[in-house]
Amino acid sequence: MNVEETPFRPYASGTQPDNDTAAYRSTILRHPAKRLLKIPQTITELSGPRFSEQKFPPTDNIAVNHGKEALGERIIVAGHVRDEDGRPVPHTMVEIWQANAAGRYNHDRDQHDAPLDPDFKGIGRVFTDDEGAYRFISIKPGSYPWGNHENAWRPNHIHFSLFGPGHATRLITQMYFPGDPLLTLDPIFLATADAEARNRLVSRFDLSITQPNWALGYRFDIVLRGRQATPMEDGHAHHH
Amino acid sequence: MRTTTSQTIGPYWHLLEDKSWADLTRFGAAGEVITLEGHVYDGEGAPMTDACVEIWQASPAADENFTGFGRAATDSSGRFEFKTLKPGPLPGPGNALQAPHIAVTVLARGLLIHVNTRCYFEGAAENENDPILNLVAPERRGTLLAREVSAGVWRLDIRMQGEGETVFFEI
């Protein structure tokens, strides 16, 4: 059996949030009410898009815009993208977006009363290398209020979008910062019941990534679904 | 190691948006060009105006000219639109043949983890024996069938919740 035909494992129990999480109010009318229908992974789920650096050029320093430095605390974010077996996921695209240092997105619909920074767009794209490592430079995003409940504030976070080897490995997540007091109040962060799983969304300050006299470093490692060790034996196995 | 936890794409994901990504033929792909359009509605039938809709198709096979992947934002009426190539049948589990289909993913504020569905094409002869469609209760299969509303324009509306709720998959 070709590895490309080996299904991805189901998500480990508790690692993913439930879309039916009323504490995050936007879920109420948007989560599917019926149970998801489990389907076998076919070529559609096992394969996925490929993005080349030639067609989708990386932008690994989003703290600078047309040569002008964004305001805020400069940071370096680095880590590895691996599968559940610890194997690197090489040459995969990582998209990032975030608020500026004042906690405002460069987005028409963000009306938070905080200043925009003309030198910060808050959007970037990098690729993992042969070892699955990625790195980008940004500024630390600010926290901001949102309308979910009285006096609700999002913890500082950077949005991540990854594809991995197949359609079934798609991941959208948010990276948080250590020691943020808003984490224990945030219904989005808390929506994942498993504390170990959600705490892995919190990056670690890393002196080895920190560049002296220049920028603080944070490590954020990402794990995508791995492949089944053996072909599935539930009747959906591939017979070639 | 366990998989990283998903978090919502949120209301400001448009910072990622490149409108050209809604055209999967933009690098010069040749074939039967179609438009795939639809609306995304919430549990009260209100349009979802801040959703991200992504499509992936394994047919025709991706190459330099055809990415197989598209991303579109829903507009103020909840509408999305892609330009792509019509897929052909694909191998399925065992010796089964899959009917032409496109994987559709909805990501949005209020979805902590994205949801997966498929777009099939109403009237395709292969639909009857499609191994995935046949897992779906007959009365719900229609939620996965795009209709050809004019020549080459296929429409598939997505209902997140409630009456006519789209069939979403665990993949």
Side-chain angles (χ1 to χ4, degrees):
Chain A
M1 175 174 276
N2 183 321
V3 69
E4 292 297 325
E5 296 170 350
T6 307
F8 295 99
R9 280 177 222 163
Y11 291 113
S13 175
T15 59
Q16 301 302 320
D18 186 347
N19 275 326
D20 185 3
T21 297
Y24 171 25
R25 278 174 43 203
S26 292
T27 64
I28 293 171
L29 290 173
R30 292 183 164 199
H31 75 270
K34 292 185 168 31
R35 184 186 296 210
L36 302 184
L37 176 66
K38 188 168 174 56
I39 62 168
Q41 294 170 22
T42 72
I43 183 171
T44 298
E45 291 73 32
L46 295 168
S47 60
R50 298 286 177 267
F51 300 90
S52 69
E53 296 191 39
Q54 290 70 43
K55 281 200 168 105
F56 302 95
T59 47
D60 65 349
N61 183 352
I62 67 170
V64 172
N65 184 42
H66 296 299
K68 297 181 86 174
E69 299 261 6
L71 292 172
E73 186 178 83
R74 191 185 294 117
I75 59 172
I76 300 167
V77 178
H80 284 81
V81 183
R82 300 188 177 96
D83 70 15
E84 290 169 283
D85 298 306
R87 285 188 286 252
V89 180
H91 313 294
T92 199
M93 184 168 75
V94 181
E95 299 171 292
I96 48 171
W97 71 104
Q98 63 170 86
N100 69 20
R104 174 105 182 244
Y105 286 87
N106 178 36
H107 189 291
D108 292 344
R109 293 185 202 174
D110 185 356
Q111 296 297 311
H112 174 35
D113 178 21
L116 281 168
D117 178 351
D119 300 317
F120 189 70
K121 300 302 177 199
I123 171 74
R125 173 161 69 209
V126 293
F127 288 80
T128 58
D129 67 13
D130 291 341
E131 275 74 51
Y134 75 89
R135 180 180 183 273
F136 64 89
I137 297 157
S138 186
I139 51 94
K140 187 171 181 181
S143 53
Y144 56 86
W146 61 310
N148 190 70
H149 55 273
E150 177 66 22
N151 211 6
W153 293 76
R154 289 302 325 280
N156 304 350
H157 62 276
I158 299 177
H159 294 268
F160 278 68
S161 155
L162 294 98
F163 291 85
H167 175 59
T169 56
R170 185 92 174 90
L171 173 71
I172 300 278
T173 192
Q174 300 179 25
M175 177 198 111
Y176 300 97
F177 288 84
D180 190 331
L182 296 170
L183 285 169
T184 56
L185 302 172
D186 183 52
I188 293 178
F189 178 69
L190 296 174
T192 300
D194 184 316
E196 189 277 334
R198 67 174 184 256
N199 285 331
R200 281 187 287 116
L201 298 180
V202 181
S203 60
R204 284 179 293 126
F205 171 69
D206 191 322
L207 199 60
S208 71
I209 295 170
T210 299
Q211 201 160 314
N213 304 315
W214 197 69
L216 293 176
Y218 291 90
R219 175 169 298 281
F220 183 54
D221 293 324
I222 295 166
V223 181
L224 303 180
R225 293 170 75 178
R227 307 255 181 191
Q228 303 265 12
T230 53
M232 292 173 76
E233 290 177 2
D234 61 359
H236 300 315
H238 295 242
H239 304 286
H240 291 279
Chain B
M1 301 174 86
R2 299 195 300 162
T3 313
T4 299
T5 294
S6 174
Q7 297 277 268
T8 183
I9 200 168
Y12 306 127
W13 70 270
H14 305 85
L15 294 182
L16 283 187
E17 190 189 4
D18 178 337
K19 290 187 193 311
S20 74
W21 286 33
D23 180 358
L24 286 72
T25 68
R26 67 192 183 281
F27 297 119
E32 184 185 347
V33 176
I34 60 167
T35 297
L36 173 61
E37 60 163 39
H39 294 76
V40 185
Y41 298 107
D42 73 10
E44 288 184 338
M48 283 172 49
T49 61
D50 58 3
C52 172
V53 180
E54 293 182 347
I55 60 174
W56 160 247
Q57 55 190 94
S59 168
D63 62 20
E64 277 297 294
N65 298 323
F66 184 65
T67 58
F69 175 83
R71 176 186 284 158
T74 54
D75 67 13
S76 57
S77 63
R79 185 174 180 276
F80 63 88
E81 179 179 322
F82 294 99
K83 183 178 179 186
T84 188
L85 298 182
K86 187 137 186 238
L90 284 160
N95 294 317
L97 189 70
Q98 296 192 81
H101 66 276
I102 295 174
V104 179
T105 304
V106 181
L107 313 98
R109 170 178 63 84
L111 287 174
L112 286 154
I113 184 165
H114 57 271
V115 291
N116 296 295
T117 185
R118 283 186 174 195
C119 167
Y120 287 87
F121 297 88
E122 188 178 63
E126 301 91 343
N127 286 347
E128 194 181 335
N129 293 316
D130 181 83
I132 306 301
L133 273 179
N134 283 331
L135 294 174
V136 178
E139 66 273 16
R140 297 189 70 203
R141 278 180 207 158
T143 69
L144 305 178
L145 296 179
R147 277 187 310 120
E148 190 170 24
V149 292
S150 60
V153 180
W154 293 83
R155 181 175 298 161
L156 182 73
D157 288 335
I158 297 171
R159 291 181 173 78
M160 298 304 300
Q161 190 188 86
E163 191 178 340
E165 182 174 314
T166 295
V167 173
F168 297 106
F169 298 127
E170 177 186 343
I171 63 173

